[in-house]
């Protein structure tokens, strides 16, 4: 029996999905979304808040402020509610509607920027607003996930050792690159171990993290428009860039097998599958990190109308609910009404 007194005390760290039958290659998925924050960002958020408390930066009157495209914002909103702090999250239009509502339900003040900085996109605009808030009132405390060593330190102490304990014969690990906190923590851990493990970073096409040309991206989570301060490429063995249609295909493919994961997870799985097709074999022991689950993406990644608007009919047709929706629309167009058997598919 597990009994907790605070939501941040619960996190399932030892759940893996064997994706071999889904992606037709040996791949284990470490699921990090089974906690009250719903994502791997709980680890970084808890590490940064706890470190700030120990350093005397946080007081009962403090107001946490952070820039986030979604998951870290939810984790901080949850911890702030649990520990009695106010929290302001600065985000942008790519934040999923469900994530926005969830942060507000937890008591956060969510502010959305709608102007892209000419050089740094929405991220630069978000950070500029955060800096303005901090300069305006000394109650505001910016944890700065982009440069805070606790972002990667929490994974050095937890995620890396957890993977090694579960797979002592590990050959390669795939980690998505956002702020690169998770990536750098895992990479630093395995670099310190005697067994050589390849660390492959998975990034979004259009992200500037590894020098790619910046282009607009619609799926939040991975990728950035400003090179992360935490990144040290000397710890990375390889990089895979994934286009958003491939992210969507991976998400929809897993959903058709009953596994509903988020866009970040779809990107990591797509990248891992592509890399293993080139470099792996049936004897390769591979683990990919799944940052989140899929419920927050129901209005985007899993919604045929959104997919059709942004990616076209071919991508929309691949969504798990697309065929059923088409049948229902056909029944309605024929005037059959909701009681017609075709409308119940």
């Amino acid at each position: 029996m597990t009994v907790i007194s605070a939501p941040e005390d619960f996190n399932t760290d030892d759940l893996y999905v064997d994706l071999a039958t889904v992606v037709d290659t040996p791949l284990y998925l470490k699921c990090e979304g089974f906690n009250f924050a719903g994502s791997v960002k709980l680890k970084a958020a808890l590490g940064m808040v706890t470190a700030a408390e120990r350093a005397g930066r946080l007081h009962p009157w403090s107001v946490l402020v952070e820039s986030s495209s979604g998951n870290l914002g939810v984790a901080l909103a949850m911890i702030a509610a649990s520990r009695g702090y106010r929290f302001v999250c600065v985000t942008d239009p790519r934040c999923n509607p469900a994530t926005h509502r969830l942060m507000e339900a937890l008591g956060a003040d969510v502010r959305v920027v709608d102007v892209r900085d000419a050089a740094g996109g929405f991220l630069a605009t978000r950070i500029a607003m955060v800096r303005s808030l901090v300069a305006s009132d000394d109650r505001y405390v910016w944890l700065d996930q982009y440069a805070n060593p606790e972002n990667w330190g929490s994974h050095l102490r937890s995620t890396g050792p957890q993977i090694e304990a579960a797979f002592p014969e590990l050959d390669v690990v795939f980690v998505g690159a956002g702020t690169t906190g998770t990536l750098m923590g895992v990479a630093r851990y395995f670099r310190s171990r005697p067994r050589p493990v390849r660390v492959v970073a998975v990034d979004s096409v259009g992200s500037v993290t590894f020098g790619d040309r910046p282009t607009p991206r619609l799926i939040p989570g991975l990728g950035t428009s400003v090179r992360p301060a935490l990144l040290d490429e000397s710890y990375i063995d390889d990089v895979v860039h994934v286009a958003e249609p491939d992210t969507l295909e991976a998400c929809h493919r897993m959903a058709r097998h009953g596994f509903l994961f988020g866009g970040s997870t779809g990107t990591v799985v797509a990248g891992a599958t592509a890399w293993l097709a080139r470099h792996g074999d049936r004897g390769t022991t591979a683990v990919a990190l799944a940052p989140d689950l899929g419920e927050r993406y129901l209005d985007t990644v899993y919604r045929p109308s959104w997919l059709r608007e942004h990616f076209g009919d071919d991508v929309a047709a691949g969504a798990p609910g697309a065929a059923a929706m088409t049948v229902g629309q056909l029944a309605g167009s024929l005037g059959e009404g909701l009681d017609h058997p075709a409308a119940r598919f």
Side-chain angles (χ1 to χ4, degrees):
M1 180 173 65
T2 300
V3 178
I4 63 173
S5 57
E8 61 266 31
D9 293 339
F10 175 76
N11 193 17
T12 299
D13 290 318
D14 58 355
L15 178 62
Y16 294 80
V17 174
D18 184 349
L19 284 181
T21 59
V22 178
V23 298
D24 196 31
T25 192
L27 181 64
Y28 296 97
L29 195 62
K30 187 180 193 303
C31 301
E32 291 281 354
F34 290 98
N35 55 62
F36 283 104
S39 81
V40 69
K41 290 294 189 178
L42 173 61
K43 291 177 176 178
L46 184 58
M48 291 189 295
V49 170
T50 301
E53 289 175 335
R54 288 174 178 168
R57 294 180 60 206
L58 288 176
H59 308 280
W61 59 86
S62 295
V63 181
L64 293 171
V65 58
E66 187 56 83
S67 156
S68 171
S69 61
N71 282 340
L72 183 77
V74 173
L76 286 174
M78 185 197 79
I79 294 171
S82 172
R83 300 193 177 188
Y85 302 115
R86 290 176 54 204
F87 172 53
V88 177
C89 180
V90 180
T91 188
D92 61 60
R94 295 183 307 139
C95 179
N96 293 318
T99 300
H100 187 140
R101 293 193 298 269
L102 182 54
M103 287 189 284
E104 290 184 329
L106 289 166
D109 176 4
V110 182
R111 305 188 188 185
V112 182
V113 303
D114 57 6
V115 177
R116 293 180 184 269
D117 180 83
F122 283 131
L123 177 56
T125 307
R126 282 164 26 196
I127 292 175
M129 177 177 283
V130 170
R131 293 186 187 279
S132 175
L133 289 171
V134 171
S136 70
D137 192 326
D138 60 9
R139 292 177 302 166
Y140 286 101
V141 176
W142 182 24
L143 298 173
D144 191 4
Q145 63 163 323
Y146 308 103
N148 193 321
E150 277 299 316
N151 192 343
W152 61 261
S154 59
H155 297 285
L156 178 72
R157 296 188 299 270
S158 61
T159 310
Q162 290 159 8
I163 296 172
E164 183 184 48
F167 297 92
E169 300 302 314
L170 182 68
D171 295 308
V172 56
V173 60
F174 300 92
V175 186
T179 64
T180 69
T182 308
L183 173 64
M184 293 311 305
V186 171
R188 286 172 183 270
Y189 177 78
F190 282 110
R191 180 62 62 85
S192 72
R193 308 301 295 160
R195 177 179 172 81
V197 174
R198 292 187 67 84
V199 176
V200 178
V202 182
D203 198 12
S204 302
V205 169
S207 165
V208 306
T209 300
F210 295 97
D212 205 11
R213 184 174 62 87
T215 56
R217 290 168 287 111
L218 295 173
I219 301 174
L222 301 185
T224 183
S225 53
V226 177
R227 181 180 167 86
L230 297 176
L231 178 63
D232 184 341
E233 292 187 58
S234 68
Y235 288 93
I236 310 302
D237 295 297
D238 207 350
V239 179
V240 179
H241 284 92
V242 176
E244 289 191 326
D246 294 327
T247 290
L248 297 168
E249 194 281 331
C251 286
H252 299 163
R253 189 174 186 179
M254 289 187 287
R256 287 194 292 271
H257 286 78
F259 296 111
L260 197 71
F261 285 105
S264 297
T265 299
T267 301
V268 174
V269 169
T273 304
W275 191 93
L276 289 168
R278 296 192 301 270
H279 306 289
D281 57 43
R282 291 294 171 181
T284 301
T285 300
V287 171
L289 208 66
D292 55 5
L293 301 178
E295 289 89 344
R296 296 174 193 171
Y297 297 81
L298 296 179
D299 291 327
T300 54
V301 169
Y302 296 102
R303 186 178 181 183
S305 60
W306 185 87
L307 295 168
R308 189 173 297 109
E309 177 186 355
H310 295 288
F311 295 96
D313 291 338
D314 289 345
V315 172
M325 181 178 178
T326 301
V327 172
Q329 289 173 331
L330 176 62
S333 67
L334 294 174
E336 299 291 349
L338 293 177
D339 292 329
H340 190 279
R344 294 198 291 272
F345 279 92

